[in-house]
Amino acid sequence: MDLAAILVIGSSSEEPNATTERSSASVGGEWVGVPYALLHVLGKPVLHRMIERLRDAGVQAISVVTDSDYVPSSALQREGRLSEVNWIEAPATDCRQAVEEAYCDYAGLGFEDVLLMNLGPYAEFDVSDLLRFHRDTRQNATLVYKQDAPARIAIVNSRRRNDATFVLQNGLSKTRGSSTIYQFNGYLNPLARANDLRRLAQDGLLLHCDVRPGGKEMKPGIWVAQYAHIHRTARVLAPCFIGASSKVRAAAVITRATSLEHHSEVDCNTVVEDASILPYTYLGPGLDICHSVVGSRHIAHLVRNAQVEILDSHLVGSVVASASWRTVQNAASLASYLPRQFVRGLFAPSKSERPASLPSSVDGLSPAVKSSELARSTAASHSEVEVLRGVRSREEIWGSVGPLS
Amino acid sequence: MGFSRPVVVKRMPERINLKQSREFLREVQPFLKADRPQLVFDFSTVRQMDAAGVELLLQCMSEVMKRDGDVKLASLSPQAAVVLELTRTDRLFEVYDNATDAVRSFSGFLPNALRNYPGWEVPATITPERNTGLVA
C-alpha cells in the first residue's frame, strides 16, 4: 500500500478560528494534562492501538506529531512496535508546521497519498477501502465521517500541499473544494471526555468494538494480564480487566466492566464498580468507586459529571512509577514488617478482653478514614453511627459475627 | 416539641483537612453538647475534603445522636459529594439541596430525604414492630 500516515496528538489540528470549539476540545480531550489518546484502555494506549491498526492495514510509514507538553515517555515510545514510528515533537504553536513538513517529507519519499489523523477520536475504519474510495473518486482530499460526525481523518494526495494545509487548518473537517465524503459504519468514539474513555473500555469488554483487552482470559469475560496479583478472597466479576502488575487485595470487589490498568492497586475491602482505574493508581481500603475514572489523584464521577482532585493519599494515591524505587519501598516494607508486628503485639489489647462496644469491633469505618489523626482521637465508629441512624440494625451487625455465648 | 427547638446552620470551610476539622469541631462543640441538637452543615463552599473531614462528620453525628439530635447536610458541592460517596458516608446522612429545605425538614415527622430515593415509600403509619429494631 503506497500510503503514509501522520497522527496528530494535541491542539495542532484544531480549527484556529473556532476558538470556543478549540478551547473545549483542548480541555475536554485531556485527563490532567494528558491527551486521552495517550491513556491506557484495556492494557494499551489508544495511540498504540491505532498505530497497530494502520500497520496491519499495510501503511508503510507512520509519523506521530505531538505537542512538546504531551511527549509520551520513552518507555511508552519503545512499547510494542512503536520504535519504528517517527516521533516529532513541536511546540503547540508550531505543530501544524511540523505536520506540513512531515507531509512534504513523505511526498519527497514518493508516497502517493498521506493519511492525516487527529487523536482525538478513535475510529475503526477500513484503510484500504478508504484509499480505494479516494482513488476512485480522484479527489485531492477525502474526509472521513460517520453520519454527521467528523472522524477527524482525511486522506490527501501528496502533491497537493495547499489542500493539506487547508484541511489541517480546518481541523480535518473541511476540504478546499467540494468533495465527496467517505462515510464509514465502523466504531467511532470521540474521546473528548472522561465518559468517552470509560465507554471505550466498556465497549471493549463487551466486544462492541475491536479494542481487545490485553492479557489472558482466565474465566469468561475476565482478562488478567501478566504479573497481576489477585488475593484469593477478592471477588472479580465478569466482564473486567486486571492490568499487568496490578494488585487486588483481600476482600476487594471488581465488577461491572471495570478496567484496572497496569501497576494499579486496590486495597482491602474496596468495591470498584463500572470504573476505569488508570495506571499507577492506588485506591485506599474500604472505598466505594462507582461510575468513575480514577487516576493521577483525580476522580471523575461520570454520573455527577464532576472531576475532583483527591489530595488525601489514604483515599486515592499514586504508585511509584520507577521499578527500582518500588523495589526499595517493598524491601523496606518487608524489613519493617516484623518490628511493626512486635510493637503492635506489645500495645494491642489482650485477645481475651471483651471490646467495649461489640458493634464497633465488627464493622469499622474505612481504615483510610481511620488513619487520620483526628480519627485516632475519637471514639466514634462507623457501625455505631449506622446503628443510630438505622442504616443497619444492631441484630444485623451482631448477626454477622454469630451468636454470642 | 421538636419544631420549637432552634436549628443551627453551619457553613463548612472551603478546605476540610485535619487542621480545619479540629477548628471546626471546636466551633461546633457547644452546639453538639446541647440538648437534642439540630444541626445543618452547609457544604456549598467546600472545594476540598479529605478523610479527616469525613471523620469530623462521623464524630459530629455520633455526638449528636447520643443526645437524640440530628445532623443534616445541605448544598453538597460535587467535591464533597464525591468524597462522601467514595468513603460510603453519604448513606448515613440526610442530604438536602439547600439549607432551607434541611432546616424545614426538622419540623416534619418523617425525613423528607426519603423522597429522594425512588422505590422507597414512606409508610402511612409507623408500626411498633418497625420501631423496635433493637429488641432481641
Side-chain angles (χ1 to χ4, degrees):
Chain A
M1 189 182 290
D2 194 12
L3 182 67
I6 302 173
L7 309 184
V8 190
I9 299 169
S11 60
S12 64
S13 58
E14 295 300 324
E15 196 171 348
N17 298 325
T19 50
T20 51
E21 188 188 341
R22 182 181 187 169
S23 60
S24 66
S26 59
V27 171
E30 295 174 3
W31 174 266
V32 199
V34 180
Y36 285 118
L38 297 180
L39 293 179
H40 281 68
V41 176
L42 303 180
K44 271 184 202 168
V46 178
L47 172 68
H48 290 49
R49 293 184 184 278
M50 189 52 76
I51 288 172
E52 283 182 6
R53 281 185 71 85
L54 293 176
R55 286 256 185 246
D56 293 343
V59 177
Q60 292 166 332
I62 299 173
S63 288
V64 177
V65 180
T66 58
D67 280 3
S68 312
D69 301 339
Y70 302 143
V71 178
S73 65
S74 52
L76 196 70
Q77 291 186 22
R78 282 196 304 269
E79 208 173 295
R81 290 186 284 174
L82 291 186
S83 53
E84 303 158 15
V85 172
N86 179 30
W87 292 87
I88 302 166
E89 300 163 19
T93 49
D94 298 339
C95 243
R96 193 178 304 133
Q97 194 183 340
V99 176
E100 285 175 26
E101 283 171 10
Y103 173 88
C104 290
D105 289 345
Y106 283 136
L109 287 170
F111 288 100
E112 197 176 332
D113 298 291
V114 178
L115 184 69
L116 302 172
M117 299 179 71
N118 178 19
L119 300 175
Y122 171 79
E124 290 177 352
F125 62 100
D126 187 343
V127 179
S128 52
D129 190 51
L130 168 64
L131 187 63
R132 196 179 308 118
F133 177 87
H134 174 68
R135 288 180 178 167
D136 287 351
T137 51
R138 299 186 179 203
Q139 299 183 121
N140 295 333
T142 302
L143 299 176
V144 179
Y145 271 67
K146 182 175 182 182
Q147 292 166 354
D148 292 335
R152 305 273 180 180
I153 297 168
I155 187 163
V156 186
N157 192 304
S158 63
R159 291 182 296 276
R160 299 288 180 173
R161 182 177 173 169
N162 290 343
D163 284 282
T165 306
F166 186 88
V167 166
L168 281 169
Q169 280 175 347
N170 289 280
L172 305 181
S173 58
K174 279 181 196 167
T175 54
R176 202 152 64 132
S178 60
S179 63
T180 312
I181 285 169
Y182 175 79
Q183 291 278 357
F184 79 105
N185 294 320
Y187 181 82
L188 175 68
N189 188 315
L191 273 187
R193 299 179 303 150
N195 299 50
D196 298 326
L197 188 80
R198 179 75 204 115
R199 192 162 61 85
L200 185 59
Q202 282 176 330
D203 290 340
L205 285 168
L206 298 173
L207 310 180
H208 291 165
C209 63
D210 290 346
V211 174
R212 289 286 172 269
K216 192 177 170 188
E217 192 170 4
M218 306 297 279
K219 287 180 182 175
I222 299 177
W223 284 269
V224 180
Q226 60 178 354
Y227 307 124
H229 176 78
I230 303 170
H231 194 270
R232 60 189 166 79
T233 59
R235 196 162 161 74
V236 180
L237 303 174
C240 74
F241 168 72
I242 312 288
S245 303
S246 52
K247 290 177 187 169
V248 182
R249 296 206 182 275
V253 179
I254 311 291
T255 182
R256 288 201 191 178
T258 287
S259 131
L260 199 65
E261 299 300 338
H262 69 89
H263 291 97
S264 49
E265 188 174 336
V266 180
D267 217 327
C268 307
N269 210 20
T270 288
V271 178
V272 188
E273 176 186 346
D274 184 22
S276 288
I277 312 300
L278 298 179
Y280 301 109
T281 302
Y282 167 75
L283 302 178
L287 302 180
D288 225 347
I289 312 276
C290 300
H291 318 295
S292 306
V293 175
V294 189
S296 308
R297 296 197 164 197
H298 282 70
I299 177 166
H301 198 286
L302 307 180
V303 176
R304 294 183 190 279
N305 202 17
Q307 187 169 329
V308 179
E309 184 179 8
I310 307 282
L311 294 176
D312 192 338
S313 59
H314 293 111
L315 299 177
V316 175
S318 297
V319 175
V320 181
S322 159
S324 52
W325 186 238
R326 270 201 313 275
T327 308
V328 170
Q329 277 191 335
N330 288 340
S333 169
L334 191 65
S336 65
Y337 176 75
L338 276 178
R340 270 191 288 127
Q341 292 300 316
F342 181 70
V343 171
R344 192 175 292 173
L346 280 179
F347 297 106
S350 162
K351 277 183 183 174
S352 59
E353 210 171 281
R354 191 187 170 95
S357 162
L358 186 59
S360 68
S361 66
V362 173
D363 186 13
L365 184 60
S366 158
V369 174
K370 279 202 161 180
S371 59
S372 73
E373 211 176 303
L374 187 74
R376 278 183 227 117
S377 66
T378 178
S381 75
H382 202 245
S383 54
E384 269 181 282
V385 177
E386 280 189 333
V387 170
L388 288 166
R389 286 227 58 97
V391 175
R392 298 172 72 190
S393 69
R394 206 171 285 272
E395 286 83 3
E396 202 181 337
I397 288 177
W398 284 37
S400 62
V401 286
L404 297 169
S405 57
Chain B
M1 299 295 286
F3 52 82
S4 62
R5 285 179 287 123
V7 179
V8 178
V9 179
K10 184 75 183 158
R11 180 164 288 180
M12 303 295 281
E14 195 174 324
R15 299 175 59 151
I16 314 178
N17 50 25
L18 185 60
K19 189 183 167 192
Q20 296 285 346
S21 295
R22 280 179 174 159
E23 282 178 20
F24 185 83
L25 195 60
R26 206 175 303 129
E27 286 174 22
V28 296
Q29 202 69 38
F31 304 112
L32 296 176
K33 301 286 183 190
D35 179 42
R36 299 175 73 190
Q38 300 185 133
L39 287 114
V40 172
F41 290 157
D42 185 341
F43 276 76
S44 56
T45 55
V46 174
R47 293 289 165 267
Q48 190 190 314
M49 185 172 171
D50 63 9
V54 175
E55 189 55 39
L56 163 78
L57 290 180
L58 291 176
Q59 190 172 358
C60 290
M61 170 62 84
S62 182
E63 289 292 319
V64 160
M65 296 298 273
K66 281 177 195 167
R67 292 168 180 79
D68 197 21
D70 205 354
V71 176
K72 302 187 181 187
L73 312 183
S75 308
L76 281 190
S77 63
Q79 287 84 356
V82 167
V83 172
L84 290 180
E85 188 178 321
L86 192 73
T87 52
R88 303 173 183 169
T89 319
D90 55 341
R91 66 189 82 167
L92 302 175
F93 294 89
E94 287 177 29
V95 180
Y96 292 86
D97 289 342
N98 53 59
T100 313
D101 284 356
V103 170
R104 203 172 288 151
S105 70
F106 278 105
S107 57
F109 177 63
L110 286 170
N112 292 330
L114 279 180
R115 292 175 194 157
N116 295 334
Y117 294 93
W120 282 37
E121 296 203 358
V122 179
T125 55
I126 303 290
T127 58
E129 290 78 17
R130 203 182 287 273
N131 251 344
T132 53
L134 302 182
V135 178

